[in-house]
Every structure is written in structure tokens, then in C-alpha cells.
Amino acid sequence: MPGGPAAGGDGIGANAPKNQLAGILMTAFSAFGGILFGYDTGVISGVKEMKSFLRTFGFVQEGTATGYAISSSNESLIVSILSAGTFFGALIGAPTADYIGRKWGIVFACLVFSVGVAMQTAATALPLFVVGRVFAGLGVGIVSVLIPMYQSECSPKWIRGAVVSAYQWAITIGILLASVVNNSTQHRDNASAYQVPIAVQFVWAAILAGGMVLLPESPRWLIKRGRDADASKSLSRLTGASQSDPAIELELDEIRANLEAEIALGESSYVDCFKFTKNKIALRTLTGIFIQAWQQLTGINFIFYYGTTFFQNSGISDPFLISIATSVVNVFMTLPGMWGVERFGRRRLLLIGAIGMCVCEYIIAIVGVTVSVSNIAGQKVLIAFVCIYIAFFASTWGPIAWVITGEIFPLQIRAKAMSLSVASNWLWNFGIGYATPFLVNVGPGSAGLGSKVFFIWGSTCFCCIIFTYLCIPETKGLSLEQIDLMYSHTTPVKSLEYRRQLLADEHAFGLVASHREDNASHEKV
């Protein structure tokens, strides 16, 4: 699923006690931006199957459930053009954040998104609707860069991973909300059937923009702009400590030191991301790019973009209700993934997820090919395995692909390598969104695969297994410096053993340091 979190900052609060509830709540609120993308993903899946939408933007076709249809090319354009907008939005997200700040950049993104929503709501012809999708995509693209950036720079270090992962969870909640709203308006026989679900997006944008206006700016950005007094006020709000507290100045000094270290490294180019060095920078960059590509090639967005259509063509009587069920699975199974990534590790969960998805998708394909659409038991089996497949994705490849992307890059190329990874996600999202109707639909110029398309997704998940085994190291519990050492001295296949060695060395060093401190304190006494 696109638009997930990609933490790259150093966070705050390393020297503060672990009780900064206000700061946690403030940075967690910004995860609400995930609802913008998740809702839009879910809403278009249902809207494009509504009779009033097809009557307005499609053509009369006898024999269909609604009496109307839309061409595969127009369906592809409507669904995938958002991802084209998000690609360019992601590219302008970083300069937007540097120029007007993280906080106001998010507010600006909400305004751009709202312009797109207004165009879609008012549209009575396809061109305006498509342009509205592009503007909405621009807003979502900017949000997808700025919110994880804001969270990673403002949330306390000890809970940063969970806070940033909340953005991914918000995406799944947005998809669920869209399914519920679509189901409530689908039977209306006028334009409000699709206009209401689309216009609801104004509410999400207003909540996010209004909340961000009240939140503090990133202290890191403020210091970078030379606004130290404002940074002190912001940090005070985020940590719950007074501006005169020594811990505040200590945090500000640490931020200044990190910025100076980045400046000392100098500017890197995109060419540097592909250099064959001892610490395997080229491998790490390609790993980030390809894990985002494979995440899209698991076929998950087929369910969330075209699930309603697929279930309808499979003979299921209420495809909108089934879409709600799959969205519920997606929301609640993301939670164990957020917990399990630190309990069981990245590499193991990615392997388990890829194997589980591969098996489920082959079963879905076989059931779809061998069982008729009138066989109720067969269709129940199909729905069950779609839900199990989504559960495997939501608890593994959904959040963990973004965790890996946020961890494996060294400081000097992190920003550019991250942008390449995020761009890969949006490009594959666009490509799959555009190609799927031509693969699945029946008609001139379409392959008419139907449920056979799951043979393709099952095969790509098999490739995910191979990719994870060969290219993904186990990075659980390691610092960025230790990850750099791992890439320099071993391979991903042997990373578990080397990780244990690194953690053992760290533990031994900690015991020696503690012993020295005890001796020093005794000598003073």
C-alpha cells in the first residue's frame, strides 16, 4: 500500500523522562493525514461502480448490473491518475518543507487536496474529474513526505517508531471509512450517491489543517532557519518542560550538533546512491527501491482499487459489504504488525508474510477458475482467503516495508535514497492501477483474466520470498551506525548471526562502562 511512513529524523526527548504525553499526542495527531490517502483509495473503488457515477461519466450497456459501463481506458485513468499526482507531490514535498516548514507545508497540502476534491465533486464530465484527481494526488503526495518527516523530528525517540507507524494505520482506517460511506450512499439514484462520499474528504482535510495550525513547528526546522527562541518554545510544548529547563537546552544542543554533522558531510548527488562501496550503498539504495516495488506487486491495491468490481464479477451479491469486511481486516491486522516488528524482527515477518500471501493468492486463483459464480460455498472460500491474504499483508509487508526503508540508508544519502524509494512506490502504484482494468476486464483491448490475475500476484509474492531472503537484513534493535557495520562486514543472508554479535558486543561494552562509572563513584567517596 502506498503512502506509508518513512522516518528519517532523529526525534527528540532522548534526555527526557518517558512520560511526555502531550508531545506524543500532538505528533500522533498528524498521522491523521494518512486518512486523506486511505479514504481516497477506498472511495474511488466503490464510487466507480455506482449507477449514478456510471450514468454521468460512462455509457449505456445492456446486461450489466446497473445498465451502464465505463471503458477500461477511462477506468484506468480515473483510478491511476491520483498516483501520478502523488508522484509529483512527493517530489515537491521536500522543498516545500524546507521553505515554509513542516507544519505549514501540511496545511498547504490540505488546501491543494481540497481544490482537487472540489473539482471532483462539481464535475459533470470526465476531464474536470480527472484534473481534480491530479490536484488531490498532489496534496496527498506532499502529505506523504511531510507528515512522517514532522513525526520523526518531533516525537520522542523512545516511541518514534510507533508514532510514525500510526500513519500507516491511519491509511487503513481511511479505507474502512470510505467503504462505510460508499455502502450508505450506493443506492441513491442521483449525483449525491458519489458526490457525498467524495465531498466527505473536505472534512478530513479541514480536521488535519485545523489541528496542524494549533501544533508547534518542528524544532529541527526552526533551528535550521536560525530561529532558536522559537525552537525553544516548540520543544517546550512537545516535551512538557519549561523553556528554562536544562534538558531543553541539552536537546537543542543535540539538534544543532546533528545539523552541523549533516553540513560537514556536504551535499550528495543521486549518483552517490549507486556507488559500489564497502558499506554497499548501491545495494542499500536498490533494496529500498525494490522493496517498495515488490510491496505494490503483492497485488494489495487490486483489492482496494478494484475489489468492489472483482467481488461483483465473482457473483457476490453485496460487493460493497464485502469491501467493508476486507477493510476491517486491514485495519485490525495492522496493529499486530506494528507490535510484531519489534518482537519478531523485520526479515522473519517479511518472509512469513510473502509465503502466506503467495499461498492465499494461488488458492484464490484456483477457486476463481474452477468454481462457478453461482456456487455460494465456493464464493465464501474465495472471500475467506482474500481476507487471510489481506491479514498477511497488513501485519507484514504493509508497515514493515516502510520500516526497512527508513533504517537502511546512511546519513549522507538518506534524503535522496528515501526520495527514490518513495518515487518507486508511487510509480508502481500508478502502473498497476492503470494496467489492472486491461488485465481483468472483458471487452475489446482487455485480457479478461478475471480471477486468473491472482496467478500473477501469487507469482510476484514468490519473487518477494526470494528477494527478502537474499536482500533484506535483520535490523531489529540496531542503531544506524550498527546497520552500516552490518552492511560492511556481512550479507543479508548471514545478518542474523552478525546482529547477535553486534548486540553482544554492545552489551559487553555497556557492562564495562557501568563498571567504570561505579569505580569512579567509589573513588570519589
Side-chain angles (χ1 to χ4, degrees), residues 353-419:
I355 293 168
M357 288 189 293
C358 181
V359 171
C360 288
E361 289 181 313
Y362 278 131
I363 291 174
I364 293 167
I366 292 167
V367 170
V369 169
T370 58
V371 176
S372 70
V373 296
S374 60
N375 188 317
I376 296 176
Q379 298 312 309
K380 287 181 178 179
V381 170
L382 186 146
I383 294 169
F385 276 96
V386 166
C387 290
I388 295 170
Y389 153 66
I390 291 171
F392 272 113
F393 175 87
S395 58
T396 58
W397 278 77
I400 298 172
W402 291 98
V403 173
I404 291 290
T405 307
E407 289 179 339
I408 62 174
F409 302 125
L411 183 62
Q412 63 267 33
I413 62 146
R414 192 179 304 161
K416 288 182 172 60
M418 283 295 307
S419 68

